[in-house]
């Protein structure tokens, strides 16, 4: 098979391992260069992976010298705007780690540059690529519980990261909630309209910033999405996928984030006059049978490459991810102002 994609990998830290490993097993893809502001990190990665590509500290130079057409942005969030915009302006498509960028203005500008240059820019939202969440989405989309009215996600964990997260002003909302917010959009197929958020740091928290947030989103289908998230809760942890309860006109879907989701719906037959209706349990078939090969990062990367090959936007294209990012920044804005914030206020063309 001929090589269609010449990739420059920007950022050679921990996360880049998964990206490089995935690219190396694609026969249509060649790693043309590794870039890191610390050259020794790029050199070390080249040696670790047994690559023979060039190494650089500057992305533009790497693209110009190798003729690359695709950039993996696996740098830190503060660099995502600079790396993405440089890559697209140099004629490269971009596959980027989350978050799309560090501020809403930068997210807006990345979307504008993608539109203007015609380049693809897709974002890693690995938690979408999971057989269980796809099964839940199908359960909802097929009308098992009727039209959705409420979506609740509980996320309670107590990770002791140490390092930069312990000192951030809003570690949970900025570093983690993007995943759960993006999952809510996948599950419901709805986009955010407004949010009220209360962010706080409860007693006992080992973070300097706010590690707890309660958010109430109004969604475009008229439903309400309630996020209760904490990174400072000891005991009885939820899954990193969150724990979900979705209520519809005729039933409720439950996903604990560990096993497969299920629903409980009003039983068929005459239920008139009953104080509490009878319910039947619905256990859906797992939607994707061989998910192990395509879950997480490889699943999302496979979709990004497939979309590029087919000349369509990837499921997590920046124009879609923009809505998930707006949920994060609108929640932060709401917490700051102490009032409800309209999402459209932040998503400027
Ligand atoms: N999707 C997930 O589940 C998940 C999990 C962990 C991390 N991430 C994301 O992956 C990204 C990288 O995280 P990490 O854990 O590998 O961080 P890291 O600090 O280990 O690595 C980042 C690397 O980027 C380099 N770098 C910084 N600025 C640069 C620039 N302008 N040009 C070139 N190189 C630059 C640094 O020197 C470092 O080697 C972050 O955006 C993070 O949020 C995603």
């Amino acid at each position: 098979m001929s090589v269609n994609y010449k990739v420059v990998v920007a950022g050679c830290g921990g996360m880049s391992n998964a990206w490089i490993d995935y690219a190396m097993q694609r026969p249509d893809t060649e790693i043309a260069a590794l870039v890191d502001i610390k050259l020794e990190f790029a050199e070390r990665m080249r040696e670790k992976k047994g690559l023979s590509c060039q190494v650089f500290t500057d992305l533009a130079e790497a693209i110009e010298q190798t003729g690359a057409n695709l950039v993996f942005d696996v740098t830190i969030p503060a660099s995502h705007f600079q790396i993405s915009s440089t890559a697209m302006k140099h004629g490269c498509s971009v596959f980027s780690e989350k978050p799309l960028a560090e501020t809403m203005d930068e997210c807006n500008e990345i979307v504008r540059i993608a539109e203007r240059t015609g380049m693809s820019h897709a974002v890693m939202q690995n938690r979408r690529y999971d057989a269980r969440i796809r099964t839940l989405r199908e359960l909802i989309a097929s009308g098992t519980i009727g039209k959705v009215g409420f979506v609740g996600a509980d996320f309670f964990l107590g990770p002791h990261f140490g390092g930069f997260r312990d000192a951030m002003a809003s570690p949970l909302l900025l570093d983690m909630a993007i995943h759960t917010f993006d999952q809510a959009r996948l599950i419901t197929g709805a986009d955010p309209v407004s949010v009220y958020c209360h962010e706080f740091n409860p007693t006992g928290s080992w973070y300097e910033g706010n590690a707890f947030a309660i958010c109430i989103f109004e969604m475009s289908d008229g439903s309400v999405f309630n996020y209760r998230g904490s990174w400072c809760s000891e005991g009885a942890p939820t899954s990193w996928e969150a724990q979900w309860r979705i209520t519809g006109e005729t039933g409720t879907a439950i996903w604990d984030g560990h096993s497969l989701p299920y629903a409980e719906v009003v039983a068929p037959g005459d239920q008139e006059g009953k104080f509490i209706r009878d319910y039947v349990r619905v256990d859906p078939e797992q939607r994707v049978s061989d998910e192990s090969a395509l879950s997480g990062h490889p699943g999302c990367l496979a979709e990004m490459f497939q979309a590029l090959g087919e000349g369509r936007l990837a499921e997590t294209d920046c124009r879609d991810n923009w809505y998930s990012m707006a949920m994060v920044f609108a929640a932060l804005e709401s917490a700051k102002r102490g009032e409800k914030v309209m999402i459209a206020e932040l998503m400027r063309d």
Side-chain angles (χ1 to χ4, degrees):
M1 188 186 270
S2 61
V3 170
N4 299 327
Y5 306 108
K6 290 185 81 177
V7 179
V8 173
V9 181
C12 296
M15 200 63 247
S16 68
N17 282 286
W19 288 69
I20 294 169
D21 290 347
Y22 176 81
M24 285 179 71
Q25 51 83 44
R26 281 189 73 99
D28 61 354
T29 303
E30 171 196 316
I31 297 191
L34 298 177
V35 176
D36 201 291
I37 41 169
K38 302 226 169 99
L39 194 65
E40 64 272 25
F41 288 5
E43 285 169 342
R44 212 179 300 155
M45 188 58 79
R46 176 172 63 182
E47 197 184 326
K48 182 178 172 189
K49 302 294 179 192
L51 291 162
S52 54
C53 62
Q54 298 183 70
V55 290
F56 298 87
T57 54
D58 182 71
L59 176 65
E61 197 188 333
I63 296 169
E64 279 157 16
Q65 290 207 15
T66 61
N69 55 9
L70 179 60
V71 168
F72 288 173
D73 182 358
V74 204
T75 64
I76 54 172
S79 303
H80 287 181
F81 175 74
Q82 183 228 324
I83 296 288
S84 293
S85 53
T86 303
M88 287 190 280
K89 286 173 184 170
H90 281 75
C92 289
S93 295
V94 179
F95 298 167
S96 170
E97 255 305 341
K98 64 88 191 158
L100 174 58
E102 215 183 24
T103 69
M104 198 63 214
D105 282 346
E106 288 179 350
C107 293
N108 292 340
E109 184 60 15
I110 287 176
V111 169
R112 260 184 238 125
I113 296 171
E115 291 282 333
R116 205 166 58 225
T117 59
M119 290 296 140
S120 287
H121 181 306
V123 183
M124 175 56 63
Q125 293 293 171
N126 41 304
R127 288 179 195 280
R128 281 178 172 243
Y129 295 87
D130 179 301
R132 299 158 302 174
I133 199 169
R134 295 282 162 171
T135 307
L136 178 58
R137 182 173 88 146
E138 187 57 30
L139 189 74
I140 302 299
S142 61
T144 309
I145 61 167
K147 187 174 179 328
V148 169
F150 170 81
V151 179
D154 279 355
F155 180 96
F156 293 101
L157 283 154
H160 293 258
F161 291 106
F164 73 94
R165 290 184 186 87
D166 287 10
M168 280 170 78
S170 302
L172 178 80
L173 281 176
L174 272 176
D175 205 54
M176 186 64 218
I178 178 66
H179 284 297
T180 320
F181 293 174
D182 190 65
Q183 285 172 299
R185 290 185 53 236
L186 172 70
I187 291 167
T188 59
D191 285 326
V193 174
S194 72
V195 62
Y196 178 80
C197 170
H198 182 74
E199 200 197 12
F200 60 111
N201 203 32
T203 179
S205 170
W206 50 96
Y207 295 80
E208 277 177 40
N210 291 321
F212 214 122
I214 311 287
C215 302
I216 302 167
F217 289 96
E218 291 173 305
M219 304 296 283
S220 56
D221 61 358
S223 67
V224 168
F225 166 48
N226 178 206
Y227 170 78
R228 304 192 302 174
S230 165
W231 247 354
C232 58
S233 294
E234 298 287 23
T238 64
S239 157
W240 284 80
E241 310 301 332
Q243 183 178 299
W244 298 80
R245 171 178 288 265
I246 301 154
T247 65
E249 293 164 314
T250 54
T252 295
I254 298 286
W255 182 37
D256 65 5
H258 294 294
S259 43
L260 276 176
Y262 69 93
E264 245 184 35
V265 301
V266 174
D270 187 11
Q271 298 276 343
E272 273 311 305
K274 285 198 173 152
F275 177 52
I276 299 284
R277 309 296 200 237
D278 294 334
Y279 304 126
V280 288
R281 181 172 163 129
V282 181
D283 284 294
E285 293 281 307
Q286 179 167 316
R287 201 170 157 267
V288 186
S289 54
D290 187 18
E291 184 67 12
S292 55
L294 279 177
S295 60
H297 275 70
C300 193
L301 282 162
E303 154 63 7
M304 291 169 174
F305 272 101
Q306 198 171 336
L308 202 54
E310 292 171 5
R312 63 171 170 84
L313 299 183
E315 183 178 300
T316 61
D317 182 84
C318 62
R319 279 150 276 214
D320 178 273
N321 199 251
W322 197 24
Y323 290 87
S324 302
M325 289 304 298
M327 292 171 84
V328 173
F329 291 114
L332 287 167
E333 187 62 24
S334 167
K336 197 168 87 188
R337 287 193 214 159
E339 62 186 35
K340 180 162 119 175
V341 168
M342 303 306 290
I343 301 287
E345 228 189 274
L346 281 86
M347 298 178 74
R348 301 214 181 83
D349 285 332

